[in-house]
Amino acid sequence: MRAIDGVSLRVDRGEIYGLLGANGSGKSTLIRVFSTLLTADAGEVRVFGLDVRADELAVKRLINRVSVEASFFKKLSAMENLVYAGRLYGVGPEASRPRIHAILRRLGIDSGRVHEPLEKLSRGMQQKIAIARAFLSAPMLLLLDEPTTGLDIRSKREVQTFVRDLRDEHDATILLTTHDLDEASRLADRIGILHGGRLVAEGASEELTARHGAASLEDVFMALTGRHIDEADERGEAET
Amino acid sequence: MIASVGGQLGLAYAFVEREIALSKRYWAWELVWLVYGIVTSLSVAYIGLAAPAIAGASVDEAAISRFVLYLLVGTITWRFLGLIFEQMGETIAWERWEGTIEYTFMAPVPRLTHLLGMCGATLVRALAFSVAILAAVALFVPVDLSNANVASALVLLATGAVAFIGLAIGSAVFPLLWTEKGLQMAYIVQAVVLLVSGVYYPTSVLPEWMQLLSVISPATYVIRGMRAALLDGADVGGVWPDLWPALLVGAVSIPLGLRLFVWAERYAKRTGRLKRSG
């Protein structure tokens, strides 16, 4: 079975591109290919002109990623995890610490909690720390794989505002996967709909609704895939 | 060039700092392993002290003292080498469970720098543990080092560390590819090395086919050389017959281990094995 098949997409510099799809549609696989964590059997992936396979190290300097599960050394504090992450991108503690405090403040995290072990923080707070980790390296391409899953409404809004600010202030390019239609409409300049590992539609939110004579993005999704976005893709829940 | 080396050292230090921070957070476990190490080494030393009672024969005190030191050199050197071997595999397995391996592999850190950083962290821990165990054991059991050549022992220990780093990197491939079973495989490799390397006995007592395995284990040479240095006061020239094979194993195993690791990483990326397992 092919997790993604014949997908051809281009994300322009400074653009927020939203990739919509049900669970199992291939969104995370695509993000992992961009992240250099998965090698595609065929095809080509370029990041600002660099081939992810041939120029892997150079690509890694330009990207960062937030995955749906916040993966950390859970016994370490947020600060310890983030200082470590900064070092991996060549940012020493003297430079990273003030930046970490600034990012966490904007994400609504109380600075008094940055020294607590991460395992003591809520799932939502851990996810915000994961987002801070990705922003810390000031990536030119930010890969957000369902970054707001598990967050409450307020936290979701804080993260969405921060994502938009990051693009506006730092000229970052953002590839965002989500199955939150509202989030896609709110954030993305263009939206791609992934179904069964294939890109079945692409365009701005308004373009998509107009093209399919639909009242909402949800109707577009239903018309193209024959299912609701919260239903798992027929290929199964687990994405490979 | 110097800036580049400095930059790589800075990146490598990230892994050392991370391990130190983890050791602090898991201090209770570190204490457990330290006590366990002291107790097992002490138990082995007491076996030596009890040799006349066990054998039912009288043995002069000098011979008992030599036997105790023989056993202690074996057990503490093995503890040092074993910690290097274990920690590499366990760290990779841990990163697989936590899911952080994806972030480590996604970072712009050359694999050589990453592995060297991990080795640095491993060496710091192994050295600290071994010194602490030796100091604690010396409080309970008389350890006669009056004849020891410490310089050649240190040279051998450093050489052994280098040789074991290659083996450890190579064995870390198992947990990289198979999170749980891989660590089990690495432990089996370690157990076989323990059996054939003459940690508690001369390899000459082993069956012939096991002696063949002992020839390719760097621990065989390091432990034998350490005994020559600490029991008989052999200088670097005197331990050379054990030093050069250990150096040779290191010279072969490090590049081989690195190549194996890089191959495994590519294979894992091609087959989607880096995904979180825990």
Side-chain angles (χ1 to χ4, degrees), chain B residues 12-34:
Chain B
Y13 182 68
F15 300 97
V16 179
E17 189 178 59
R18 181 192 76 186
E19 290 306 311
I20 293 170
L22 283 167
S23 286
K24 282 184 191 164
R25 294 282 178 177
Y26 284 95
W27 66 268
W29 274 112
E30 295 290 10
L31 192 63
V32 167
W33 297 130
L34 184 60

Side-chain angles (χ1 to χ4, degrees), chain B residues 85 89 166-176 182 185-186 189-190 257 260:
Chain B
F85 191 88
L167 281 184
I169 291 173
S171 297
V173 161
F174 294 129
L176 179 64
M185 291 180 211
V189 172
Q190 189 186 2
L260 202 60

Side-chain angles (χ1 to χ4, degrees), chain A residues 32 35-39 56 60-61 64-65 67 69 71-73 75 80 84 87-89 117 133 239, chain B residues 11 13-15 17-18 21 25-26 98-100 102-109 269 272 275-276:
Chain A
R32 290 157 67 79
S35 311
T36 73
L37 293 170
L38 197 59
T39 311
E56 190 178 321
K60 285 173 173 176
R61 290 194 187 100
N64 215 319
R65 159 182 175 253
S67 58
E69 69 281 322
S71 300
F72 284 108
F73 292 96
K75 285 273 181 202
E80 286 167 328
Y84 163 64
R87 276 200 189 274
L88 294 184
Y89 285 80
R133 172 172 59 190
E239 292 179 17
Chain B
L11 291 175
Y13 182 68
F15 300 97
E17 189 178 59
R18 181 192 76 186
R25 294 282 178 177
Y26 284 95
E98 295 275 23
T100 53
E102 289 199 330
Y103 290 88
T104 304
F105 280 8
M106 209 173 64
V109 180
K269 285 179 175 176
K275 205 173 176 186
R276 186 184 181 139

Side-chain angles (χ1 to χ4, degrees), chain A residues 53-68:
Chain A
R53 248 189 270 184
D55 310 304
E56 190 178 321
L57 203 60
V59 168
K60 285 173 173 176
R61 290 194 187 100
L62 303 176
I63 63 168
N64 215 319
R65 159 182 175 253
V66 177
S67 58
V68 67

Side-chain angles (χ1 to χ4, degrees), chain A residues 70-77 81 116-120 126, chain B residues 22 26 94 98 100 276:
Chain A
S71 300
F72 284 108
F73 292 96
K74 296 276 168 69
K75 285 273 181 202
L76 297 187
S77 68
N81 270 288
E116 286 181 34
L118 264 169
E119 63 185 1
K120 292 193 174 171
Q126 288 185 23
Chain B
L22 283 167
Y26 284 95
W94 194 357
E98 295 275 23
T100 53
R276 186 184 181 139

Side-chain angles (χ1 to χ4, degrees), chain A residues 37-239:
Chain A
L37 293 170
L38 197 59
T39 311
D41 296 327
E44 187 184 51
V45 179
R46 288 190 168 271
V47 175
F48 300 114
L50 299 167
D51 185 280
V52 292
R53 248 189 270 184
D55 310 304
E56 190 178 321
L57 203 60
V59 168
K60 285 173 173 176
R61 290 194 187 100
L62 303 176
I63 63 168
N64 215 319
R65 159 182 175 253
V66 177
S67 58
V68 67
E69 69 281 322
S71 300
F72 284 108
F73 292 96
K74 296 276 168 69
K75 285 273 181 202
L76 297 187
S77 68
M79 184 57 84
E80 286 167 328
N81 270 288
L82 293 174
V83 166
Y84 163 64
R87 276 200 189 274
L88 294 184
Y89 285 80
V91 185
E94 305 77 25
S96 66
R97 280 177 203 277
R99 212 188 285 180
I100 289 165
H101 281 294
I103 294 172
L104 292 181
R105 214 170 20 248
R106 287 180 72 173
L107 286 168
I109 292 200
D110 175 8
S111 62
R113 305 205 65 184
V114 297
H115 297 294
E116 286 181 34
L118 264 169
E119 63 185 1
K120 292 193 174 171
L121 304 185
S122 67
R123 160 90 177 79
M125 283 179 84
Q126 288 185 23
Q127 190 61 7
K128 283 185 179 180
I129 305 291
I131 290 162
R133 172 172 59 190
F135 290 150
L136 187 60
S137 65
M140 286 179 72
L141 172 64
L142 185 57
L143 303 159
L144 300 174
D145 191 6
E146 300 187 28
T148 59
T149 299
L151 297 187
D152 57 45
I153 300 287
R154 188 181 154 194
S155 297
K156 241 180 207 189
R157 290 288 151 81
E158 282 168 345
V159 169
Q160 289 166 356
T161 305
F162 193 46
V163 167
R164 199 177 275 284
D165 288 352
L166 185 84
R167 190 268 301 269
D168 296 342
E169 291 168 18
H170 299 282
D171 193 26
T173 303
I174 295 166
L175 177 60
L176 163 86
T177 76
T178 183
H179 53 206
D180 182 335
L181 295 159
D182 180 51
E183 181 167 272
S185 307
R186 188 184 292 268
L187 279 180
D189 302 311
R190 278 191 306 144
I191 291 168
I193 295 178
L194 205 59
H195 177 61
R198 290 175 175 273
L199 194 65
V200 293
E202 193 180 42
S205 179
E206 307 76 36
E207 272 175 43
L208 288 171
T209 47
R211 199 185 303 159
H212 293 86
S216 66
L217 204 50
E218 186 172 3
D219 292 339
V220 174
F221 191 87
M222 291 279 280
L224 287 167
T225 66
R227 63 187 57 234
H228 191 268
I229 195 159
D230 289 331
E231 291 175 50
D233 198 289
E234 66 266 22
R235 303 178 314 157
E237 282 278 340
E239 292 179 17

